[in-house]
Amino acid sequence: MATDRIIIFDTTLRDGEQAPGAAMTIPEKIQIAHQLSKLGVDVIEAGFPVSSPAQFEAVRRIASEVKGPIICGLARAKKADIEAAGAALEGGEKTRIHTFIATSDIHLSSKFADERYGKTLAEKRVQIKEMAVEAVTLARTFTDDVEFSAEDAGRTDTDYLCEVVQATIDAGATTINLPDTTGYCISDEYADLIGRVIKGCKVPKGVVFSTHCHDDLGLAVANSLSGVQAGARQIECTINGIGERAGNAALEEVAMAISVRGPHFDLTTGIQSELLTQTSKMVSTFSGFVVQPNKAIVGKNAFSHEAGIHQDGVLKSRETYEIMRAEDVGQTTQSIRLGRHSGRHGLFNRLNKLGVAINSAEKDRIYDEFTQLADRKKEINDLDLYNLVHNYTNVNNDAHYSLEDFGVTVGTSKHPEASVRIRHVRHDQVVEKVATGDGPIDALFRAIDHAINEGHDLINYTIRSISEGADAFGEVSVLISLGGPCFAGKASSTDVVHASAEAYMNALNSLAAHRADQESIQFVNTGIMQAFDGGVE
Ligand code: KIV
Ligand code: ZN
């Protein structure tokens, strides 16, 4: 039997944008719509045209500019809404009008309390069904692709829901959406609802049932998946799960569940999963909604392993703790995060990747220093590792240069200026230099460079506070390079200018030691070659 294709209906630009504070500009929405098209979604709900001129314009522009997916506009079961949606979508290549009305008794008795909708609940039910039919009929005059949603279907009496659904199908609805508007349903209940409505109606070929689940109980993705197992073939979802209140089912989670658990669902989607992270970042930037680090699929920690046992397992075989590959969802993060819980295997593997060879005699001490650092610092990055190794391996290095004195002056009316006195230990020579710079640290580093007079590039300079308060300790890390290998220096002090100078000197000493090593290797090689050449003659 052929594997069924699930229609991915993205409502980031409509339900997603309804999230308080998530409003996006029209150009941002257009950019997201293009990205959603590349991502492979089947339907883009671009907005709610009647609700504001900006919404109308966003839907209009997306319908005319974005090719590929069906472009959909939302409309209440009202003439003005449907006409506005029809006008906004006019001229679009593939368009859909999505009309909705609430069907649960809770909504009927409060939102439709006015007597013009009927005096009793029974009368209101009849009236609402008629409004739904009229809305679908009118929408069909604009497009052949009409979706009807029974708002709050999750809390609607099933027999009445079947009546409304049948009536709207008969009026020409091609997609029937059964939203769990309040995120109230538990997965088996939602699956049961979908199954019962499909069974309870005469469903012509081509009519598709849809899920639309909110995350108030954290069940939106689970409920959507249960819905498709019960026969729905469209899932409504949003990037990063943004949406009303606790949000909607997250597109990236739904798509990856269907893909990773292929044999379980026997379903597919058209989602190009390697674009998921990129899309998530775009939506996060434009909506201003930060993605939590532990967010499934697109969170920055989603493929990071910190516990030693996990790191060890993943390094032996990814399958031990990974059910999908980071690159399959477009994540490029360092999968092994070094921190307090990391083990030796993770540490030495990373050092190896950084090209830092550690002999077995050094390993215990390096690991010991690493664990001490990890107690102070949440995450250990590559620069920290360079520093750590450098600090240890440099213990036996005689310094080539030492900073005997320095001074920095700053003011509002002149450029920062620094002076240094540096001893060239090997030549027993003291050099004094002065330099100006863009800031005190820049001036200081320039003065040191003049005094040392050897070329290199400054690759990285970071400063962080390692204690609290105005007199906090500042830890400075510096990374310099000769074009190939990097040399790190680190120092801490309550005086960050002093710490910067010492960190820079440490890095320069490390580089000088490397140069000296290279020169002696060169010297030995040249000597061997000369001796060899002499022997042949
Ligand atoms: O949650 C909901 O019921 C909706 C409808 C408009 C489909 O967003
Ligand atoms: Zn919704």
Short mmCIF file of all heavy atoms in Angstrom, two decimals, residues 14-15 74 98 100 149 151-152 177 179 181 212 214 236, ligand 1:
data_model
loop_
_atom_site.label_atom_id
_atom_site.label_comp_id
_atom_site.label_asym_id
_atom_site.label_seq_id
_atom_site.Cartn_x
_atom_site.Cartn_y
_atom_site.Cartn_z
N ARG A 14 -0.44 33.45 10.59
CA ARG A 14 -1.78 33.79 11.07
C ARG A 14 -1.91 33.43 12.56
O ARG A 14 -1.79 34.29 13.40
CB ARG A 14 -2.84 33.08 10.21
CG ARG A 14 -4.21 33.69 10.34
CD ARG A 14 -4.98 33.24 11.55
NE ARG A 14 -5.26 31.80 11.54
CZ ARG A 14 -5.77 31.15 12.59
NH1 ARG A 14 -6.04 31.79 13.72
NH2 ARG A 14 -5.98 29.86 12.53
N ASP A 15 -2.04 32.15 12.90
CA ASP A 15 -2.20 31.79 14.31
C ASP A 15 -0.90 32.12 15.06
O ASP A 15 -0.93 32.61 16.19
CB ASP A 15 -2.52 30.29 14.45
CG ASP A 15 -3.45 30.00 15.63
OD1 ASP A 15 -3.37 30.74 16.62
OD2 ASP A 15 -4.22 29.03 15.55
N LEU A 74 -7.75 33.61 6.16
CA LEU A 74 -8.77 33.22 7.15
C LEU A 74 -9.97 34.17 7.11
O LEU A 74 -9.80 35.37 6.84
CB LEU A 74 -8.15 33.24 8.56
CG LEU A 74 -9.06 32.75 9.69
CD1 LEU A 74 -9.30 31.24 9.60
CD2 LEU A 74 -8.47 33.09 11.07
N HIS A 98 -10.26 29.92 4.18
CA HIS A 98 -10.46 29.12 5.39
C HIS A 98 -11.49 29.85 6.24
O HIS A 98 -11.21 30.91 6.79
CB HIS A 98 -9.11 29.02 6.13
CG HIS A 98 -9.19 28.32 7.45
ND1 HIS A 98 -8.14 28.35 8.36
CD2 HIS A 98 -10.17 27.56 8.02
CE1 HIS A 98 -8.47 27.66 9.43
NE2 HIS A 98 -9.70 27.17 9.25
N PHE A 100 -14.43 29.81 9.40
CA PHE A 100 -14.66 29.07 10.65
C PHE A 100 -15.79 29.67 11.46
O PHE A 100 -16.11 30.86 11.35
CB PHE A 100 -13.39 29.04 11.51
CG PHE A 100 -13.04 30.37 12.16
CD1 PHE A 100 -13.37 30.62 13.49
CD2 PHE A 100 -12.39 31.35 11.44
CE1 PHE A 100 -13.05 31.84 14.09
CE2 PHE A 100 -12.07 32.57 12.03
CZ PHE A 100 -12.39 32.82 13.36
N SER A 149 -13.55 25.23 9.41
CA SER A 149 -13.12 24.82 10.76
C SER A 149 -14.27 24.98 11.73
O SER A 149 -14.90 26.05 11.79
CB SER A 149 -11.99 25.72 11.26
OG SER A 149 -10.78 25.35 10.67
N GLU A 151 -14.68 25.67 15.11
CA GLU A 151 -13.87 26.14 16.24
C GLU A 151 -14.30 25.47 17.54
O GLU A 151 -15.49 25.28 17.78
CB GLU A 151 -14.00 27.67 16.36
CG GLU A 151 -12.97 28.27 17.31
CD GLU A 151 -13.26 29.74 17.62
OE1 GLU A 151 -14.35 30.24 17.29
OE2 GLU A 151 -12.37 30.37 18.22
N ASP A 152 -13.34 25.11 18.34
CA ASP A 152 -13.55 24.39 19.61
C ASP A 152 -14.19 23.01 19.39
O ASP A 152 -14.92 22.50 20.24
CB ASP A 152 -14.40 25.23 20.60
CG ASP A 152 -14.15 24.83 22.05
OD1 ASP A 152 -13.13 24.15 22.33
OD2 ASP A 152 -14.98 25.16 22.92
N ASN A 177 -11.49 20.99 9.09
CA ASN A 177 -10.54 21.09 10.19
C ASN A 177 -11.27 20.96 11.52
O ASN A 177 -12.32 21.58 11.71
CB ASN A 177 -9.85 22.47 10.08
CG ASN A 177 -8.77 22.66 11.12
OD1 ASN A 177 -8.11 21.71 11.54
ND2 ASN A 177 -8.58 23.90 11.55
N PRO A 179 -10.42 21.73 15.09
CA PRO A 179 -9.44 22.27 16.02
C PRO A 179 -9.70 21.91 17.48
O PRO A 179 -10.85 21.90 17.93
CB PRO A 179 -9.57 23.78 15.85
CG PRO A 179 -10.48 24.00 14.71
CD PRO A 179 -11.29 22.77 14.55
N THR A 181 -9.15 23.90 19.91
CA THR A 181 -8.86 25.33 20.06
C THR A 181 -8.27 25.69 21.42
O THR A 181 -7.42 26.57 21.53
CB THR A 181 -10.18 26.11 19.85
OG1 THR A 181 -10.69 25.74 18.56
CG2 THR A 181 -9.98 27.61 19.90
N HIS A 212 -5.72 20.64 14.15
CA HIS A 212 -5.26 22.00 14.50
C HIS A 212 -5.23 21.99 16.03
O HIS A 212 -6.27 22.13 16.68
CB HIS A 212 -6.25 23.04 13.96
CG HIS A 212 -5.89 24.45 14.30
ND1 HIS A 212 -5.46 25.38 13.37
CD2 HIS A 212 -5.88 25.12 15.50
CE1 HIS A 212 -5.22 26.53 13.95
NE2 HIS A 212 -5.47 26.40 15.25
N HIS A 214 -3.76 23.09 19.84
CA HIS A 214 -3.05 24.08 20.67
C HIS A 214 -2.38 23.37 21.84
O HIS A 214 -2.71 22.25 22.20
CB HIS A 214 -4.02 25.19 21.11
CG HIS A 214 -4.21 26.20 20.01
ND1 HIS A 214 -3.42 27.29 19.87
CD2 HIS A 214 -5.09 26.23 18.96
CE1 HIS A 214 -3.79 27.99 18.80
NE2 HIS A 214 -4.81 27.35 18.22
N GLU A 236 -2.19 21.23 10.85
CA GLU A 236 -1.96 22.68 10.93
C GLU A 236 -0.96 22.93 12.05
O GLU A 236 -1.12 22.43 13.18
CB GLU A 236 -3.29 23.40 11.17
CG GLU A 236 -4.25 23.09 10.04
CD GLU A 236 -5.46 24.02 9.91
OE1 GLU A 236 -5.61 24.91 10.76
OE2 GLU A 236 -6.23 23.82 8.97
O1 KIV B 1 -7.63 27.48 17.22
C1 KIV B 1 -8.56 27.62 16.40
O2 KIV B 1 -9.66 27.12 16.55
C2 KIV B 1 -8.28 28.43 15.22
C3 KIV B 1 -9.33 28.45 14.16
C4 KIV B 1 -9.47 29.80 13.56
C5 KIV B 1 -8.98 27.43 13.14
O3 KIV B 1 -7.21 28.99 15.10
#
